[in-house]
Amino acid sequence: MELTINPAKSLRGQVAVPGDKSVSHRAVMFGALAEGITEIEGFLAGEDCLSTVSCLRKLGVTIDETAEGSLKVHGKGLQGLAESGEVLDVGNSGTTMRLLLGILAGQPFFSVLTGDPSIRRRPMARVTLPLAKMGARILGRQDGNLAPLGVRGGNLQPIAYESPVASAQVKSAVLLAGLYAKGVTEVNEPYVSRDHTERMLRAFGAKVERAGARVAVEGFPVLQAQNVKIPGDISSAAFFLVSGSIVRDGEIRLTNVGLNPTRDGILTVLGEMGASIRIENQAEVSGEPVGDLIVRPAELRGVRIGGSLIPRLIDEIPVLAVAAAYAHGVTEIRDAAELKVKESNRIAAAARELVKMGVRVEELSDGLKIWGGKPLQGAAAESSGDHRMAMAMAVAALGAEGVSRINGAEAAAVSFPDFFETLQRLRT
Ligand code: S3P
């Protein structure tokens, strides 16, 4: 699907951004492993989270949709999943694939997982290696690195795993397998990645301990069903934080946005760039901090970012690159080589698409260098099937001179099904 995006003079209004993708996946997975019925409110009905629902249904879990964004998960208990006669299709969702691998590593039965062409290119050895060390048997292309993957789990041993990457998917896969290993399973990572698994597993009754970037879980807890309210996704809010900053007039209020400190790097960086963002109505909901974000236009300036900040904003880098294109001066993003193995190679994609709009961009081995502040030209952008690239380029188009087209705009439905309608509604 190709969409035309005209420049915007003003963006004004209120947006309840859709539920957090990471938290939605975990709520439905942990609900499936708990005793009793877990009720979820604010669930993200995007394609990725629906893939998780569909895989769990194939593993014997009953999940009812009681209203829009409201799910009832009939927990099977830790040992209640059943072997599926069907292939588990995760679609475009890395979180579904990697977290489910952790759960399936603990099951005394055989499963096959696959997904779309993008997921079949993404590295899975980062998860299958530690899971194999724990005792799971996993086969796949490239020695278990590429899906389709076959898993025969069960009889796991705990490990203390030193993860080479700061990845919540790796950490979570090992911790979930650790639920099925007698004793304590530990994961240490180079920097702290998002901690939704730790927070939510603890709320469901698991014994989880954290010291710095080291997390430990005790095997064979009894998980108890919970009611979970999902916060709005700061990664979805990010598109409006940047739109509201670069479009010359207006004000956008984003309500009930998750402000978990392992996810809020975008606020730190936009703050350093000179953005005008106010936080109101701060509260805690289901163990996660939330608040409203109010963004107004501002003159942005370039920044240098890297190190421990990167995992706190990894999914926001495409739209941050757009902010950098509108900011005066040079922005340098380093230590972000992980971007190459996301839904698309986001270093290459962001550089290629911004160059089309007339921006000077240098592709680095671990990031991007962007010379901002010159007028952008409307262009024919390509999402490469990547939801965050589709939305980031739509944001870039808002402040450009002339009309832009986004090819593959439908990819936005992976995490933000109403994105383009919402953007349209804010134009004044
Ligand atoms: C996620 C972790 C991150 C992030 C992804 C969601 C999660 O991936 O990019 O969108 O829910 O755990 P990595 O673990 O590969 O960094």
Side-chain angles (χ1 to χ4, degrees), residues 193-265:
S193 63
R194 63 191 67 193
D195 66 355
H196 306 299
T197 294
E198 296 91 304
R199 286 173 187 248
M200 202 186 288
L201 271 184
R202 208 178 276 139
F204 273 78
K207 195 155 173 235
V208 182
E209 266 159 32
R210 173 160 155 192
R214 186 175 294 278
V215 186
V217 69
E218 220 168 78
F220 295 104
V222 176
L223 301 180
Q224 290 296 348
Q226 299 294 313
N227 291 337
V228 185
K229 283 197 176 130
I230 314 273
D233 199 326
I234 191 166
S235 299
S236 297
F239 298 104
F240 295 108
L241 293 175
V242 175
S243 305
S245 298
I246 64 170
V247 171
R248 301 274 35 104
D249 185 34
E251 179 175 285
I252 309 173
R253 175 182 283 264
L254 304 156
T255 57
N256 187 40
V257 180
L259 298 176
N260 181 314
T262 61
R263 294 283 301 282
D264 67 354

Side-chain angles (χ1 to χ4, degrees), residues 4 7 12 54-55 66 68 81 137 159 165 176 191 220 248 250 338 352 383 409:
T4 300
R12 191 175 291 280
S54 125
C55 290
T66 49
E68 207 186 308
L81 298 181
R137 282 180 284 158
I159 52 170
V165 280
L176 288 168
Y191 297 116
F220 295 104
R248 301 274 35 104
E338 275 294 297
R352 186 189 63 231
S383 76

Side-chain angles (χ1 to χ4, degrees), residues 8-31:
K9 287 197 187 70
S10 162
L11 293 175
R12 191 175 291 280
Q14 182 163 314
V15 181
V17 291
D20 189 278
K21 182 156 81 68
S22 293
V23 180
S24 294
H25 283 297
R26 286 159 173 81
V28 68
M29 286 185 191
F30 302 173

Side-chain angles (χ1 to χ4, degrees), residues 31 34-39 64 71-75 224-227:
E35 313 271 349
I37 295 178
T38 286
E39 297 201 30
D64 308 319
L71 293 187
K72 248 187 195 178
V73 183
H74 298 254
Q224 290 296 348
Q226 299 294 313
N227 291 337

Side-chain angles (χ1 to χ4, degrees), residues 316-337:
E316 287 66 81
I317 291 178
V319 78
L320 205 51
V322 171
Y326 282 95
H328 292 283
V330 180
T331 292
E332 201 170 324
I333 302 168
R334 303 306 298 254
D335 305 320

Side-chain angles (χ1 to χ4, degrees), residues 21-23 25-26 95 98-99 122 126 166-172 193-194 196-197 314-315 338 341-343 346 387-388:
K21 182 156 81 68
S22 293
V23 180
H25 283 297
R26 286 159 173 81
T95 307
R98 297 199 178 112
L99 269 59
R122 297 180 66 187
R126 54 179 58 199
S167 157
Q169 294 178 353
V170 172
K171 172 175 64 178
S172 302
S193 63
R194 63 191 67 193
H196 306 299
T197 294
I314 187 74
D315 292 340
E338 275 294 297
V341 290
K342 293 294 178 189
E343 286 83 331
R346 287 181 177 160
H387 54 131
R388 300 205 196 278

